[in-house]
Amino acid sequence: MLTRILAAVVLLPLLLIVLLIAPTVWTAILFAAVCGVGAYELLWGTGMVRKLRPVIYTVAIAAMIPLWCYFGCDVALGKAGLLAFFCLLFMEMMLSKLSWGFDKLAVCVCGGLVIPYLLSSLVRVSILFNGRYLILIPFAVAFMSDSGAYFVGCAIGKHKMAPVISPKKSWEGFFGGLASGVVGMIVYVLVLQRGFGFTVNYLYAAIYGLAGALAGVFGDLCFSVIKRQTGIKDYGNLIPGHGGVLDRFDSIIVVAPLIELLLHWLPVVVK
């Protein structure tokens, strides 16, 4: 527990500096690294893909996607990258004489394209107008709902929610997390209103909190399923006491793109 707390004390301020103070390109660089490491954890760390060349291809394109989102990838260049990735993966199948199956290729596509594009929502939000104020919304919702679920679950949790996938989750914790997500989001926009002069829609804030909390639970369960099927406790050990980057960003991978959509459909703050 002490290691976990110390790691958070060190890493959280660094994350805030990158997101709120440093030039926005550093957000893209940070999540390029996160996506690359996450792709490696999903493939090699889980044992799903233990062939070096496909892992290299997947890590490379995963790291490129946040940078493409930030710099506004040329459509032709993006298509060229996808075509190259597609051809390289199928070439591996052919060279292996079919011993390297389509299921491995599908894992590479998920780790190299789908997950990085979803997580790159954070990069796309950061470059929106007032992106500095919006970028913390996915983190605030995910953190508050996760904390609420943890404390309520520890206090009164009795009914298991998904005993096979995530034995520690309870229905009491689930509803506590939903309430905490809503409260956390309302507090966040209140700070933006009182401290930074934003016009706030509190109904939309409640929708953000509720929808984000649901997305966070779903994201956590998605990556817990993979861990149960592959028989691992954590995706890696890069972050002391916390595991790998996928262990820390599992809920954010679903929360962030949902918040990105809501920011376009239901603008919660205006200045």
Side-chain angles (χ1 to χ4, degrees), residues 18-169:
V18 171
L19 296 180
L20 302 179
I21 299 174
T24 52
V25 68
W26 283 101
T27 298
I29 293 172
L30 170 64
F31 285 102
V34 168
C35 288
V37 174
Y40 174 82
E41 290 177 350
L42 181 66
L43 273 60
W44 197 279
T46 60
M48 289 182 171
V49 176
R50 283 295 182 88
K51 196 170 183 180
L52 185 58
R53 287 194 303 270
V55 172
I56 292 174
Y57 306 149
T58 304
V59 168
I61 198 163
M64 289 177 187
I65 287 177
L67 298 176
W68 285 347
C69 290
Y70 179 81
F71 289 106
C73 174
D74 179 76
V75 174
L77 181 60
K79 290 179 179 178
L82 288 175
L83 178 61
F85 187 53
F86 177 88
C87 292
L88 288 169
L89 291 181
F90 272 96
M91 189 180 298
E92 290 296 329
M93 289 182 65
M94 297 173 192
L95 291 175
S96 71
K97 298 180 180 179
L98 305 183
S99 64
W100 196 76
F102 184 73
D103 57 332
K104 308 293 186 185
L105 184 148
V107 173
C108 290
V109 171
C110 185
L113 296 178
V114 178
I115 292 174
Y117 188 77
L118 294 177
L119 192 56
S120 293
S121 291
L122 295 168
V123 177
R124 295 189 291 274
V125 168
S126 73
I127 59 179
L128 293 174
F129 183 67
N130 290 322
R132 293 282 196 187
Y133 300 96
L134 304 175
I135 187 66
L136 290 184
I137 291 177
F139 293 97
V141 172
F143 174 77
M144 287 299 298
S145 62
D146 187 57
S147 298
Y150 175 78
F151 288 113
V152 172
C154 288
I156 60 173
K158 294 180 180 179
H159 301 87
K160 297 298 183 183
M161 179 181 174
V164 175
I165 300 172
S166 187
K168 294 183 180 180
K169 280 186 168 49

Side-chain angles (χ1 to χ4, degrees), residues 215-216 218-224 227 235 245-255:
F218 183 73
D220 184 48
L221 290 175
C222 287
F223 286 88
S224 292
K227 288 195 285 188
Y235 284 97
V245 298
L246 290 181
D247 295 292
R248 288 301 87 209
F249 286 93
D250 51 3
S251 59
I252 293 291
I253 289 169
V254 182
V255 174

Side-chain angles (χ1 to χ4, degrees), residues 181-252:
V182 173
V183 171
M185 187 61 201
I186 290 176
V187 171
Y188 185 79
V189 296
L190 178 64
V191 171
L192 291 183
Q193 181 186 45
R194 298 293 178 85
F196 299 94
F198 281 87
T199 300
V200 171
N201 188 312
Y202 284 97
L203 174 60
Y204 289 175
I207 293 173
Y208 275 54
L210 181 61
L214 287 169
V217 173
F218 183 73
D220 184 48
L221 290 175
C222 287
F223 286 88
S224 292
V225 165
I226 298 172
K227 288 195 285 188
R228 297 297 173 266
Q229 289 188 339
T230 56
I232 61 172
K233 181 179 182 294
D234 296 314
Y235 284 97
N237 54 13
L238 182 64
I239 308 173
H242 292 266
V245 298
L246 290 181
D247 295 292
R248 288 301 87 209
F249 286 93
D250 51 3
S251 59
I252 293 291

